[in-house]
Amino acid sequence: MLIVTANIAIPDSELIERFMRADGPGGQHVNRTESAVELRFDVASSPSLPDEVRERLLARRDRRMTDAGIMVIQARRFRDQARNRDDARDRLVDVIREATVVAKKRVATKPTRASKERRLVGKTQRGQTKRGRSRDWSSD
């Protein structure tokens, strides 16, 4: 059982773990052991997630989310399979916890007069700098 919050717990039956050979350091040992972990969690059809959390997870622009709504997390940071497994589970918990927090609505504001003036002064100075870099070809 994967405890996310006091209200959200994901049973191990909803998690699919695949073990594979990891790249990176480890010498000849890395060629023989399957220490990397690929953790898959079906966000779209999970009964453990509340609807609003599921919607926020699916709405995120996350490269780990497939088109079918499956979260795929790969862990290969450590040379030990158990540590990689814990790392993948911890990262999944972190992603789901982030989705439980409702983002604040952005209040649209207008730029102040001083900020507009600073922007225009900066543009003028950059233009003068660039003009100073060029040669005057008419005097040659």
Side-chain angles (χ1 to χ4, degrees), residues 113-126:
R113 174 186 261 173
S115 68
K116 288 180 186 177
E117 289 176 6
R118 281 193 303 269
R119 183 179 66 87
L120 293 175
V121 167
K123 284 172 69 82
T124 308
Q125 288 175 347
R126 280 190 298 279

Side-chain angles (χ1 to χ4, degrees), residues 16-88:
I16 300 168
E17 291 177 330
R18 197 178 106 212
F19 302 102
M20 58 199 144
R21 291 185 181 149
D23 53 357
Q28 294 175 358
H29 184 67
V30 77
N31 298 327
R32 285 184 261 131
T33 58
E34 296 185 343
S35 59
V37 178
E38 182 182 83
L39 179 69
R40 291 177 169 263
F41 174 60
D42 192 354
V43 174
S45 63
S46 172
S48 305
L49 293 176
D51 290 336
E52 60 271 4
V53 174
R54 179 181 300 110
E55 288 172 11
R56 277 188 227 116
L57 278 171
L58 292 173
R60 286 179 59 163
R61 308 276 302 158
D62 197 336
R63 61 183 168 76
R64 296 172 291 193
M65 187 74 71
T66 65
D67 293 335
I70 298 173
M71 176 75 69
V72 180
I73 296 177
Q74 291 184 348
R76 56 183 65 198
R77 192 180 336 180
F78 303 105
R79 289 171 62 173
D80 185 34
Q81 186 186 78
R83 288 175 69 187
N84 281 331
R85 189 171 180 243
D86 292 340
D87 182 40

